[in-house]
Structures are given as structure tokens and as C-alpha cells.
Amino acid sequence: MDGVTVTGVRAGARIVARADGRGGTALPVLDGEGPLALRRTRSTGPGTKVMIVGAMSGPLGGDRFTLSARVEEGARLHVGSAAATLALPGQTKGEARYDVRLDVAGGAELHWLPEQLISVEGSDLYVATRAELGAGARLVLREEQVLGRTGEQPGRLTSRLTVRVAGRTVLDQELSCGPGAPGGWDGPAVLAGYRAVGQLVVVREEFARSAVEAQVLGERAALIPLAGPAVLVSAVAPDALRLRRILDEALTRLS
């Protein structure tokens, strides 16, 4: 249950997707309120689509958000969000946390494609996304972070992304940006002065049989095969619009 305390808001949401036996996907669990409200929306394909509809601002300083999605064997789930997430300064000085846990069974498919996370000046957010996939699971996961709104400095943002396939870690990376982050985060080896950064992770069985070669995608992105049936695309850009274009083009290339 959501609640407000002296240390901020506690909010959670859960999604469970299950094959319905008729070639479609049912949602026996779709539970989220307040800043993590969930809505099932119309889907044109065989899968089911869910939107995260933020009913409140946040996360703010001291808030704790948790969001989990489980996709069972034979189910297909597409999750997006209705708008960008704003990490904002709050009345408390504590760090906000946003934890996302994704579990995809073998033979299931998840597209996790939320809108951008914007780190507003004065905010402090730690976001951790962990994806656990069974053998034969399929995943398309996109993460995008924008450091500051137009004309402002970013807040402190730390983002950790972990992907495991059949019990094996194929990706575990963390990036910290903004005031108080380790030196060099804005230098040529990391963001090179850009203010939008994103990752695209695609997991498919066919990548294990026919490996994708490492590639440079223009001046601001790279495609990197991972140890397992997975590929990572990392990109930076001057703004969210150009970052999305780079990642969309990369996903088309991998399709």
C-alpha cells in the first residue's frame, strides 16, 4: 500500500502476465496505485500492453518506488509509460530509490520500453533495474536518461542495469552522473559533454547461434555483443529526441 512518511512516499506496483490458452496473454495481476498506476491498453498484436500512468510527481527525495513484472511461459507483454519520469528534489534531503525487477520465463517475451527519466536539478535518485530471464526468453529493454531540463544542471543520478540469462550474468553496469558523482562522468570517456544517455538490451536465442558483430553506429553509439544470447547498444546524444532516434534505428537494425 502506498504511504507517506517523514522520509517520503512508499509505492509499489506488480504485473503478472500469463498465457491464456487461446494464443493470447492474460493479466491475473495488475496492481499499482499513486505514482505507479497501471493501465491495460489496446494491443494490435498477440501480446498484451500495459502503460505506467504516473498520477503523482516523483520520485522525490526520500521516496522509495518498486515495480515488478513477471512474464510466464508462452506470454507476451509490452510495457511502456504515458510520460517521462521526473526525478525531483523533495522536502527531505535523502536519496530517492526506484527499483525495477523483471522476470521472464523461458518461452516468454517482454518489451520494456518506458519513456525517459529526467534528472532535475537538485534531485538525488538511485535507480536499479534487474532482469532475470529463463533459457529461451526474449527481451527488448530500453533505458534513457536525460540530465537536466532545458537550461538547467542535472541532479545526482545513479543507474544500475543487470541482466541475467539462465542464471548467468550477461550485463551488470552502473553509471553515476551529476553533482557528487565520481570524476570524469562528463568527460570524453563517458558522456563527452552530452546530456542524454541510453541503453538498449535485446535478448534472443538466435544471437547464440549467429553472433552479432561489434559495430560503431554513427558518432555517438556502439553495438556490443554480450556473453550470451544478448546484445547491448549504448548511446549518447544532445537531447532526448535524438537519443530515441538512435536507439530506434538500432532496434530496427537488430529486428
Side-chain angles (χ1 to χ4, degrees):
M1 179 180 296
D2 296 355
V4 181
T5 71
V6 292
T7 57
V9 173
R10 301 292 188 270
R14 293 193 306 136
I15 306 169
V16 175
R18 181 175 298 157
D20 64 8
R22 303 186 302 274
T25 298
L27 294 172
V29 178
L30 187 65
D31 181 20
E33 295 181 356
L36 296 176
L38 304 173
R39 299 289 183 269
R40 182 171 184 167
T41 60
R42 181 174 298 179
S43 175
T44 57
T48 293
K49 188 171 185 179
V50 171
M51 297 296 287
I52 304 167
V53 183
M56 300 167 57
S57 296
L60 286 73
D63 289 354
R64 298 291 186 272
F65 291 178
T66 59
L67 175 57
S68 68
R70 187 173 84 243
V71 189
E72 298 181 356
E73 184 177 359
R76 297 182 182 182
L77 178 64
H78 184 296
V79 179
S81 57
T85 297
L86 290 176
L88 298 164
Q91 293 182 344
T92 66
K93 298 297 184 181
E95 175 188 75
R97 285 193 63 100
Y98 195 156
D99 292 296
V100 177
R101 173 63 183 258
L102 310 174
D103 291 283
V104 189
E109 181 174 326
L110 172 62
H111 288 233
W112 187 264
L113 302 170
E115 293 301 309
Q116 298 89 358
L117 169 62
I118 301 174
S119 175
V120 172
E121 187 172 6
S123 65
D124 186 358
L125 174 65
Y126 185 97
V127 55
T129 300
R130 183 180 180 89
E132 290 276 355
L133 281 69
R138 296 168 68 90
L139 173 71
V140 176
L141 182 153
R142 183 184 67 213
E143 269 194 351
E144 298 169 314
Q145 289 105 27
V146 179
L147 304 181
R149 295 171 294 191
T150 302
E152 75 174 8
Q153 294 299 308
R156 170 74 179 268
L157 175 63
T158 300
S159 174
R160 183 168 184 176
L161 174 60
T162 306
V163 179
R164 288 167 51 85
V165 181
R168 180 185 184 187
T169 300
V170 299
L171 177 67
D172 191 357
Q173 67 175 27
E174 183 172 285
L175 176 65
S176 187
C177 305
W185 67 269
D186 202 23
V190 187
L191 297 189
Y194 292 109
R195 284 295 178 264
V197 57
Q199 289 75 234
L200 175 72
V201 178
V202 181
V203 180
R204 294 182 186 144
E205 272 190 305
E206 50 264 42
F207 291 156
R209 297 189 296 268
S210 179
V212 178
E213 293 185 359
Q215 304 172 47
V216 175
L217 306 177
E219 297 180 358
R220 297 189 291 268
L223 185 154
I224 306 162
L226 300 176
V231 171
L232 169 69
V233 176
S234 291
V236 295
D239 53 52
L241 181 62
R242 280 177 276 192
L243 177 65
R244 176 65 58 82
R245 186 179 301 129
I246 292 170
L247 296 180
D248 282 350
E249 290 174 353
L251 183 57
T252 298
R253 183 187 295 252
L254 291 168
S255 298

